[in-house]
Amino acid sequence: TDGATGDEVWTAGSMDLWAARLPVKASGLIDTPIRLTSVSCEHNGLDLSEYSVDPISGAIILRIGADLHYMTKETIATKISNANGEKRNLDSTNTILGTQQLPIAVYSDFSNMQERLIPLSVANHLSTIDAYATSYGTISTLLTARGQTFVAPVIPDTKNIPQSPYGGGGRNMPARRYKVAPGSGGGGIVRILTAKHIPNPLKSSQDSGERHALVLATDPLSPTAEHAFYIVRTDAMASPAFGFASLYDYGDSVADTGLPAPFIGGHLESGGSTKEGGLGSVYGSTVTVSPCGRRAVWTNTDGQIVTVTLPKDSVGEVSVVILPQQNEIGQPMIGDSETELIFSPGGRYLAITHPARNQFKVISIADLGVPEDGVISVGRIVQATTDRFNSFSPVWGKQSKDFLVDKVTTTLDPSESSAGATALFFLSDRDVVLSGASSPWGTRAPSPSFSGEKYVYTLPLQSLK
């Protein structure tokens, strides 16, 4: 260390590297040590931690802070000569009488480069879930959690199932969860917002047993990560979408990148804000696919309810329609994150739960036309429930007597189809029961005190026949 203020005064200072001429006598050094570094001036006061001498080249490697610095043999010789009064010229490659920082880049599996630092917990990280029946007679679910999508099987509780003996290699293996998107190494370029199963397979996969899903994700090819809709495979034989190869091969077209191509939004002309005619920001929790697999609907942050026809292939032209923002009796129909969108079994009608003008939830039914036509033709938008009470959670179904009628009808005429819904079930708080409170207004009072305020109601539907 050196903090000398004169030739004879030595005080504590920063740690530096010095050079001394050999040999050394018992009384000490023959010559005064020569200072080779001045870290307090050159490196903002960082101390020299350690050094190492290369016996072949005569150079020195110094560790100052977290960096390594290199001092050549010629630089050392010049410093010693200048200290002894000898002037030596350096060539053009060694004009700086100091150290040179080594450009070192360490490539490894650092923790900040890993995709899953925290183990996935379905109970804590689950965003959306969609269950569907497979061609194997089992039930699977599409799970969206932490910006990723998985397929997980639905299995019975193993505690109540008798355990069978070992049946050989590859048998008695429990069903496993596997990843759909993004692929390995692609977790930093895309974020999955929601995934919904498409019931009917696409035209290209009707004979191959492939399964597909409608995926809402941020588009990595968009400069501002715009929302985009994709159709990706979800069967176990498919490779995860947005895989590792997508990180490097960015070309002029989507086919050159290895990324799935969106059919609406993202970097396409249909992307961007709704003011510019784009997709906008979609509420992932409201995305719904019709049971026929031909249509989808969602709401966005601009209050719009948007319905679209799904392409027959993974990419293709689609029909996009924005529903009116009021029903036929003038009640506002503004979409938000809590809007419920439920398709009828045939995909023609859409049940919409939305707040009325007095902020009570009502259910409206929109006629979108026949799905087989390939276009969306908005007809009447009928308000099915009153705005005097809250009505929500609609479900299309059949009444008990309809099952008997369908059984008799199909027996007499096997060609007669019994598919479709004949009733709309929903929850409502229209029948409140007092429980020790004097106010009869239920949810309409500042301090309600009611028990069992929600009940199931049925709205019979009249057939067009």
Side-chain angles (χ1 to χ4, degrees), residues 110-131:
F110 296 113
S111 59
N112 61 338
M113 300 292 291
Q114 298 174 2
E115 288 190 58
R116 294 175 294 276
L117 298 178
I118 304 175
L120 177 65
S121 174
V122 175
N124 298 326
H125 301 150
L126 182 65
S127 300
T128 61
I129 183 173
D130 188 25

Side-chain angles (χ1 to χ4, degrees), residues 112-155:
N112 61 338
M113 300 292 291
Q114 298 174 2
E115 288 190 58
R116 294 175 294 276
L117 298 178
I118 304 175
L120 177 65
S121 174
V122 175
N124 298 326
H125 301 150
L126 182 65
S127 300
T128 61
I129 183 173
D130 188 25
Y132 59 94
T134 67
S135 57
Y136 307 105
T138 60
I139 299 178
S140 295
T141 57
L142 273 172
L143 308 177
T144 303
R146 294 171 54 192
Q148 305 173 78
T149 297
F150 305 85
V151 170
V154 178
I155 59 176

